[in-house]
Amino acid sequence: LYVLMLFFEHEGRKYCQEDYELLFAPICSGCGQYIIGRIFTHKNSKWHPKCFTCYICGDELNGGFVKYQGNPTCKPCAARARAAADSKYLCARCNHIIDTDHLTFKGEPYHPHHFDCFDCHRPLTHRAKELHSHLFCLPCYDTKEISVCAACKKPIEGRAVSAIDKKWHPEHFVCAHCEKPFAGERFYENKGMAYCEPHYKKLFGDPCFYCCQSTHNAAEVSQFGKTWCEEHFLCHGCDVILKTSSVKFLEVDLQPFCKKCYGKLPEEYKKRLKKLFDMVEKRKEKVLKVV
């Protein structure tokens, strides 16, 4: 019966693994275990290859390393750390510090000389513009029919919001006071700024239902739970200004109608309105009786 056993030789003598490790094997400074095989040495310390890692990112340093603040560091991490210490950018392509103006592409800094214009193929400068995941020189960029967001000043590649004579990314069109996106809800303007209804009322008073401008310090009309500038309280049918003190008007779907335009409505429609009005009045009477 033959039994094959692993042994280690040292100066012509053979040892079992346990005795060899105890007598001769170095101890890894990373994991504290004996090292058999390939060894990394740094500052008189021994390491398993898998335990010899970058001081910053923790990756194995099989591809070589540099010293940063006395510690073994991979080259990319050392370059980034030195760039940060000098308040400079590190090129995302060549991992070298950018000593001049940098070009930003997909959120990362680069040396401009790494890129050419997507249209004319001329070398780019740091003033290049990004559009649809490509870079363009300024003359080529200006030929593109694009909208720029009034908030972030970046091109709008998808859906845009048109408001206050400007274009916006939907997520950037927000209330100037609370910064909550309008998301399709009604907004009110004051001096070129957009506000949600609660903060508009809080800051400037009730907005006119017609022009959406503040009625603060101006003659106003309050009807049907809404507010109008006096000159904007118009008949919904003929646009005649309805002087509340002299002109009789009626309500149709929470909109004011002069008597003449109301008379032009279909008889069946007027009957339905009257029936609805009578139902509302009866409910009010019931509520008053209960109270």
Side-chain angles (χ1 to χ4, degrees):
L1 179 65
Y2 293 93
V3 178
L4 296 178
M5 297 184 64
L6 179 68
F7 69 90
F8 297 85
E9 187 173 346
H10 181 76
E11 295 181 352
R13 303 185 66 180
K14 297 178 177 62
Y15 299 86
C16 66
Q17 182 173 345
E18 183 179 354
D19 287 342
Y20 181 84
E21 290 177 348
L22 183 64
L23 294 171
F24 307 112
I27 296 176
C28 175
S29 296
C31 67
Q33 302 296 316
Y34 291 112
I35 304 174
I36 301 296
R38 192 179 177 199
I39 298 174
F40 275 40
T41 302
H42 176 64
K43 286 187 176 181
N44 298 321
S45 297
K46 311 294 183 181
W47 310 74
H48 289 110
K50 65 179 181 180
C51 297
F52 191 57
T53 57
C54 172
Y55 170 71
I56 295 176
C57 70
D59 289 345
E60 293 182 23
L61 294 173
N62 293 327
F65 69 95
V66 296
K67 290 183 180 180
Y68 181 72
Q69 296 181 346
N71 297 299
T73 310
C74 66
K75 294 177 182 178
C77 285
R80 281 192 290 269
R82 293 191 181 103
D86 295 335
S87 298
K88 294 182 178 180
Y89 290 96
L90 186 72
C91 179
R93 173 168 291 185
C94 66
N95 287 323
H96 290 162
I97 292 175
I98 304 174
D99 291 316
T100 57
D101 292 323
H102 71 282
L103 182 155
T104 300
F105 181 51
K106 295 183 178 179
E108 296 286 349
Y110 292 88
H111 288 108
H113 63 255
H114 290 311
F115 297 94
D116 294 332
C117 175
F118 184 74
D119 272 3
C120 68
H121 306 294
R122 294 177 181 174
L124 293 175
T125 69
H126 68 282
R127 299 181 182 277
K129 297 290 186 178
E130 181 180 350
L131 180 64
H132 304 309
S133 298
H134 297 294
L135 288 169
F136 299 86
C137 63
L138 289 183
C140 291
Y141 181 83
D142 289 340
T143 64
K144 310 296 179 184
E145 293 183 2
I146 57 172
S147 299
V148 176
C149 176
C152 68
K153 309 303 180 186
K154 293 183 178 180
I156 303 174
E157 299 185 16
R159 190 166 62 91
V161 174
S162 298
I164 320 176
D165 298 324
K166 299 174 184 176
K167 300 284 187 178
W168 316 73
H169 288 111
E171 65 273 18
H172 293 160
F173 185 53
V174 301
C175 172
H177 187 78
C178 66
E179 298 186 352
K180 180 181 177 181
F182 292 110
E185 296 182 3
R186 188 168 186 173
F187 68 91
Y188 299 88
E189 179 188 354
N190 186 275
K191 296 181 179 178
M193 307 293 285
Y195 296 86
C196 62
E197 185 173 1
H199 287 114
Y200 186 92
K201 288 183 177 180
K202 182 178 179 180
L203 296 170
F204 311 110
D206 290 329
C208 172
F209 185 75
Y210 180 85
C211 68
C212 296
Q213 300 298 315
S214 172
T215 58
H216 187 61
N217 296 327
E220 64 181 48
V221 176
S222 295
Q223 294 289 340
F224 323 136
K226 303 174 184 177
T227 304
W228 284 266
C229 298
E230 191 175 63
E231 66 272 19
H232 292 153
F233 188 58
L234 311 172
C235 171
H236 194 66
C238 63
D239 288 338
V240 169
I241 296 177
L242 300 173
K243 299 288 185 179
T244 55
S245 59
S246 59
V247 179
K248 185 176 181 180
F249 60 89
L250 299 98
E251 173 194 344
V252 179
D253 290 337
L254 297 180
Q255 295 287 356
F257 276 75
C258 68
K259 189 176 180 180
K260 183 178 180 180
C261 288
Y262 183 82
K264 294 179 181 179
L265 295 175
E267 290 299 324
E268 183 62 30
Y269 185 61
K270 286 190 287 185
K271 288 179 181 179
R272 291 180 183 177
L273 289 175
K274 187 177 185 308
K275 185 177 180 180
L276 180 62
F277 177 78
D278 292 340
M279 289 175 58
V280 172
E281 289 299 315
K282 287 180 180 179
R283 287 179 182 176
K284 288 182 180 178
E285 289 177 1
K286 289 181 180 180
V287 171
L288 290 174
K289 288 179 181 179
V290 173
V291 175

